[in-house]
Amino acid sequence: MHRLRHSLIWFPPLAGAASLFLGAGAIPPLLLGIVLIVTVLAAVHHAELIAHKLGEPFGTFLLALAVTVIEVGLILTLMLQGKAGAETLARDTVFSAVMIILNGLLGAFILLGALRHHEQSFQQVGVSASLATLCTLTVLTLVLPNFSSSAGPFYAPSQLAFVAIVSLLLYLTFVTVQTVRHRDYFLPPEEAAADPEAHAPAPTGGQALLSGGILIACLVEVVLLAKALAPAIEEGVAGAGLPHAVVGVVIAALVLLPESVAAVRAAMADRLQTSLNLALGSALATIGLTIPAVAMLSLVQGLPLALGLDSRGIVLLSLTLLVTTQSLATARTTVLQGVVHLVIFGVFVFTTLVP
């Protein structure tokens, strides 16, 4: 058993490193995809160990932050390559991430958790604070550009700099509230504290440090593997005659895999608060960190950056924010909320594939 556990700790990062060393051209895309999935599962395992050591909400915040930082690096790298559609890549990826998190992921773990536990509860005050911040960030970055100037989906340079600064400040304020001033708002309600996993022995400091190092390695490899798969994804999208926006959807889905698996597992274990911390924290970090980073790159390098959504995107985003605030307004969830969000996610995917 010890040897098996030891191999599970070291095999995924070593397999990912070997795949990257050999190069994408030497490995079939299918095999790269398998290595990517195994690395994602390893990242989730080590993230959960760290979360158990640090306690809520620090563990889920660190996972969301780490994945988002890597996501930012991937977007910036692809933007600098200057390929066709680079000016809309950040918008498509961020919008896709928000729709995947608030509809696909939220719907999935609410539905699966409700099927197993009938009804689940969470802290209303923390979720309401997260949603208020998220609504503000999404409108400022993805909707307002269409109405702030005559340049359509583009902010003027001064406007872009201002929105980037206030987005970062708003996100940092939320993080301070979540982890320092009002940390108790984001902790599981007392009735969920009977979860046996919450009372399992915490890992030692050395084990947590080892898991932290392996987690960082796995997250870096996840994005580098996703980047290696990007040409095959773009070729497949173009070959299928699909819109270029599908590339952003696929990239967002790949990057969000670690958090998605962790959130679903937490909901299945009747820890819905942890799932919501992961989901909403990831959505907030995706906007609050990605937009300022790509805005800075755009201003420094003089690269075009289209942030404003089209009318279809604005309608779907507005519906998503409205339904999410209603779904999470009672501090309890059932299968109905899960199904509603999954239906909206299905509409998003279908209209992206068939615009």
Side-chain angles (χ1 to χ4, degrees), residues 47-212:
E48 289 180 338
L49 286 178
I50 297 172
H52 189 38
K53 177 66 176 179
L54 297 177
E56 285 296 326
F58 296 104
T60 53
F61 164 70
L62 286 178
L63 177 58
L65 181 64
V67 172
T68 305
V69 168
I70 301 301
E71 177 186 6
V72 170
L74 176 60
I75 293 175
L76 295 181
T77 300
L78 295 178
M79 284 181 63
L80 286 172
Q81 292 179 358
K83 294 183 178 180
E87 70 275 4
T88 62
L89 178 64
R91 179 197 67 190
D92 293 341
T93 304
V94 169
F95 176 56
S96 298
V98 171
M99 297 301 289
I100 290 171
I101 292 170
L102 294 186
N103 290 314
L105 177 57
L106 193 71
F109 68 64
I110 287 178
L111 177 60
L112 293 174
L115 288 175
R116 172 170 288 191
H117 303 287
H118 188 65
E119 186 179 80
Q120 294 180 292
S121 59
F122 56 88
Q123 280 261 47
Q124 177 65 49
V125 62
V127 169
S128 296
S130 302
L131 289 175
T133 309
L134 183 59
C135 289
T136 303
L137 285 175
T138 51
V139 172
L140 288 179
T141 57
L142 299 177
V143 178
L144 189 58
N146 290 327
F147 307 96
S148 62
S149 70
S150 60
F154 297 89
Y155 267 132
S158 58
Q159 295 172 333
L160 182 61
F162 177 78
V163 169
I165 292 172
V166 297
S167 297
L168 183 60
L169 288 177
L170 186 56
Y171 176 68
L172 293 178
T173 303
F174 170 79
V175 170
T176 302
V177 169
Q178 183 189 37
T179 59
V180 181
R181 294 186 64 88
H182 300 288
R183 175 173 172 254
D184 55 313
Y185 291 173
F186 301 87
L187 298 177
E190 293 181 1
E191 57 265 27
D195 173 26
E197 291 190 21
H199 300 283
T204 64
Q207 291 172 331
L209 286 175
L210 177 62
S211 291

Side-chain angles (χ1 to χ4, degrees), residues 5-79:
R5 182 177 301 175
H6 187 76
S7 64
L8 290 176
I9 289 176
W10 292 107
F11 174 73
L14 290 177
S19 301
L20 294 170
F21 177 77
L22 292 175
I27 301 176
L30 179 59
L31 183 57
L32 274 180
I34 294 174
V35 174
L36 174 64
I37 292 173
V38 173
T39 307
V40 163
L41 295 177
V44 172
H45 170 72
H46 292 288
E48 289 180 338
L49 286 178
I50 297 172
H52 189 38
K53 177 66 176 179
L54 297 177
E56 285 296 326
F58 296 104
T60 53
F61 164 70
L62 286 178
L63 177 58
L65 181 64
V67 172
T68 305
V69 168
I70 301 301
E71 177 186 6
V72 170
L74 176 60
I75 293 175
L76 295 181
T77 300
L78 295 178
M79 284 181 63

Side-chain angles (χ1 to χ4, degrees), residues 95 99 142-143 309-319:
F95 176 56
M99 297 301 289
L142 299 177
V143 178
L309 295 170
D310 58 15
S311 56
R312 175 190 63 87
I314 292 176
V315 169
L316 285 175
L317 178 62
S318 301
L319 177 62

Side-chain angles (χ1 to χ4, degrees), residues 92 96 233 237 241-252 349 352-355:
D92 293 341
S96 298
I233 294 172
V237 169
L242 299 174
H244 189 268
V246 175
V247 177
V249 176
V250 175
I251 291 175
V349 173
T352 300
L353 297 176
V354 187

